[in-house]
Each structure stands twice: as structure tokens, then as C-alpha cells.
Amino acid sequence: MKYWIALPLFSCLLLSVGPQPEIQPGVRLLGEFLIPPATSFPSITPPRFGGISGLATLPGGCELLAISDDDRESRFYRLRVSTAEEGLRVTPVERTFLGRASGAPARLDPEGIALTKRGTVLISSEGIGAPPRLPPAILEYAQDGRFIQQLPVPKHFVPNATGPLKRGVRRNGGFESLTVTPDFTRLFTANELPLVQDGPADAFAEGGRVRIVEYVTEGESYRPAREFVYELSPPERPPFETGESLNGVSELLAVSGTELLALERGFIRMRGTGIGVNAIRLFRISLEGATDVSSFESLAGRDGITPVRKTLVQDFSGLAGRSLRLINLENFEGLAWVGKDPDRGLLVVSDDNFNPLQVTAFLLLEPAGAAAARAPCP
């Protein structure tokens, strides 16, 4: 999803910042690395670097694939992560364009990325909201960018192609997230905002419902299976008059076949302006006992549905140690593990929207109760 900007307090610099000694409940910050827009990397230019919307960990744990949500030149990057003595560094080393082919959508808005057991790359696309609308999609590519196939999408996510929007995903509210379980048997995504027929997309409303979609293996591919209700947690209202504001699920990261991390991202706009504040919160969720709603065309007016259980891990507004550049947070929307157990950390990334006033920000996190600061990629 493209958001307007939260007003930055300082100009962007390329820097690495170590954590401060104060520790907050939930997670603590091990490192921060910022890449301002239009930064040049000789190994990947052209085109412009940025728009990082999702991450997938490569074998070994210290290299990642990162999807760019540039709908003009859809591509992913290979990134190298280092946590040596100089602190966290993330270096783009390669870029790969997504090939066009028969069976692939005419246009993409790529947002999520995951790897299969065979090493192929899965990409989620929000779809295109301007009529004639294109539905959300999950696509499979080889690591050289060659298109392989498109996975099926349940019909209730598909918007009507023309006319007033009556069903399906909202514009910029489709499949923002994508994750594969550690054993590769399940794939999960979610619509970022409630489906049109499921209810309104009010950032401050209690009980806004989105659907987590479970895909299961079928041969060497995946097919949609169950769906679960995820109830959004409204952010606090800021001390100013608000304009259009949104809150939704920007990323999922599988912990196991039944437990996931969910990143909720909100943008609360100051009325009459293009600026506002970001609300970023990390939750741990459990699918056990949740109702399968895959047979429901609409959730509106339905009672007796058990949603997934969710527990707040960290409100990023209380994350100690971040630099002054991130005092008002950023447009965080990607998660990935880095390193290997028992020293792996959680990497979070923001999408700069190719906006000169925003920044690609990487945050390396670990559980607040960990015995000592770790270096997952020395």
C-alpha cells in the first residue's frame, strides 16, 4: 500500500546506529540502518533503489530477497546483511526483473515475497485498483525472474472489474503480506484492509475484519484452503484533527504452521494535509481454534466467528534506541528472520515509496529477555 508521509524531523543520512541501553518490553533494538532515496549502488543500477515492501530469507540466513513495489519495473533485490563490529549494514548486491509471460497479469503491484522448498520465488500482488481492475495475485518465479505460474485466488477476493466497487479487495488493500512456514507445507497471505463485502475500512473502528488465507501444498505448488478472521486493533487517536486514515495488516511471518507474527501498519493523516503519523505494532497470533470462514462470501453481520488469537509483542512508538530520524517511525511493511538459531534476529524494513522525504529503514530486533545482544550475521 502507498501511504503519504509522516513528517520527518531531520534530513536522511546513510548511517548505522547501535542500540541504547534502555530496554522496553517485547523486543529490543540491536541495530538500525537507513538508506535514503536515490542512493546509488553500482551493482544494481539502473533503476532506482527503493520501494522495499517484503523480505524473504535465503539459505544461510544472512542474505535476503527484497521485493520492490515499483509497478513500472517490477523486480526483487538480493541483499547482504552484516552485523559486525561497525553495526548493522544491509547492502544491495543484485537485482532481478520479474518476467512477463502468458498467464501472468498484465500489470503488478508486488508487495510480498517468499521462497519455496525448491528455491523458487513467490510474489504477492495487491492487484490494480483503477478500472478495469486487476485482482490480487500470488505468482511464482524462478530466481532469474522467469515466470512459472499463477496460484488460484478465492473468488470473494476478486473485485468487480468496472463500475462502483461492490466486492473484493479495496484499492491498495489487497495481498500485502506473504510467508511460508518453516517446513514449506503452508503459505499464508492476508488482505491488508477488510474486503468491501466484509465491512468498512475505518482505522479507528473496533473489530475491523481481514482474512488470513492458508494455502497448502499440492504437488509442487499450493492451493487455497482455510481462511481465518484477523481483527484489527485500532491505533490511538492523535492530538490533532484527522483526515483519511488507514490501518491494516502489512506483513505476516510464519513461526510455525499455526503461529505467525503480524505487522499492523497505520497512517493517521492530519486533516487538510498530506502528512501525519505512523502507527506500527507487532503481534504474535495463533490460528488454533479459529473459525474457518473460507465458505463465507461475506462476513458482514455474522456472529459466532472465533478470530485468531493475538498478543501484542511491541508497539514501535515505544521501541527504545531508534535514531531521531525515526522518532516519528516510517512506513514499515516487511519482516524476515536473519541468522540461524539460536542467534537469529528479526529484521523489519520500511517502504520509502520512492519519496525524497522518506527512507528505507532496516531495524534488527531480538526478544527483550535475551541474555545478551547477539550478532546473527558476523
Side-chain angles (χ1 to χ4, degrees), residues 55-362:
L55 301 171
T57 309
L58 289 164
C62 293
E63 287 195 331
L64 309 172
L65 297 184
I67 187 69
S68 173
D69 68 355
D70 188 345
D71 57 9
R72 296 183 299 175
E73 296 178 289
S74 300
R75 61 193 179 277
F76 59 84
Y77 300 102
R78 183 184 293 262
L79 309 178
R80 185 169 296 129
V81 179
S82 170
T83 54
E85 292 183 0
E86 65 270 19
L88 175 66
R89 294 194 67 84
V90 181
T91 306
V93 295
E94 187 179 46
R95 62 105 179 92
T96 302
F97 291 105
L98 300 180
R100 302 298 174 91
S102 175
R107 294 177 60 197
L108 294 177
D109 183 5
E111 297 286 355
I113 186 168
L115 285 170
T116 70
K117 187 176 184 178
R118 296 182 294 129
T120 58
V121 182
L122 296 170
I123 303 290
S124 64
S125 172
E126 283 196 308
I128 304 297
R133 303 178 183 95
L134 291 178
I138 300 177
L139 311 156
E140 185 176 6
Y141 295 86
Q143 286 201 27
D144 63 5
R146 176 176 47 86
F147 176 72
I148 298 175
Q149 65 170 334
Q150 183 168 341
L151 275 58
V153 170
K155 59 180 175 41
H156 39 265
F157 290 90
V158 178
N160 49 292
T162 59
L165 189 60
K166 297 180 179 180
R167 66 176 187 273
V169 297
R170 287 177 157 86
R171 183 174 185 176
N172 280 333
F175 292 166
E176 185 86 18
S177 55
L178 197 65
T179 186
V180 172
T181 56
D183 63 2
F184 299 102
T185 61
R186 288 174 173 80
L187 168 73
F188 292 99
T189 187
N191 47 305
E192 182 177 9
L193 301 176
L195 298 180
V196 173
Q197 69 269 28
D198 284 350
D202 181 350
F204 300 108
E206 294 282 350
R209 292 168 163 180
V210 301
R211 303 186 189 212
I212 294 176
V213 189
E214 174 196 57
Y215 282 71
V216 296
T217 51
E218 185 174 67
E220 292 189 339
S221 186
Y222 293 91
R223 61 170 177 83
R226 297 177 295 174
E227 297 173 18
F228 308 98
V229 168
Y230 177 102
E231 292 188 344
L232 297 166
S233 300
E236 293 185 10
R237 285 188 178 272
F240 54 75
E241 188 176 3
T242 60
E244 180 187 6
S245 301
L246 296 170
N247 181 57
V249 175
S250 66
E251 185 64 296
L252 297 171
L253 181 62
V255 178
S256 68
T258 58
E259 291 196 3
L260 301 95
L261 297 179
L263 193 66
E264 281 191 42
R265 173 192 57 183
F267 181 75
I268 305 168
R269 183 175 300 175
M270 185 181 299
R271 182 177 295 276
T273 73
I275 61 174
V277 296
N278 293 302
I280 309 294
R281 288 159 300 165
L282 182 66
F283 294 87
R284 186 166 181 137
I285 64 174
S286 173
L287 307 179
E288 291 187 354
T291 305
D292 177 8
V293 297
S294 59
S295 63
F296 299 159
E297 171 67 22
S298 171
L299 301 177
R302 287 190 178 271
D303 297 322
I305 293 176
T306 302
V308 302
R309 299 195 311 273
K310 56 187 292 193
T311 303
L312 179 65
V313 175
Q314 182 71 53
D315 184 329
F316 279 41
S317 66
L319 182 62
R322 64 190 192 276
S323 67
L324 291 177
R325 173 59 186 83
L326 296 184
I327 199 68
N328 202 23
L329 298 176
E330 255 294 348
N331 185 33
F332 288 100
E333 56 177 271
L335 296 172
W337 306 115
V338 292
K340 292 185 176 181
D341 285 336
D343 294 324
R344 76 176 181 179
L346 179 65
L347 195 68
V348 190
V349 67
S350 69
D351 178 355
D352 68 359
N353 292 320
F354 301 105
N355 188 310
L357 295 180
Q358 292 185 262
V359 67
T360 300
F362 294 91

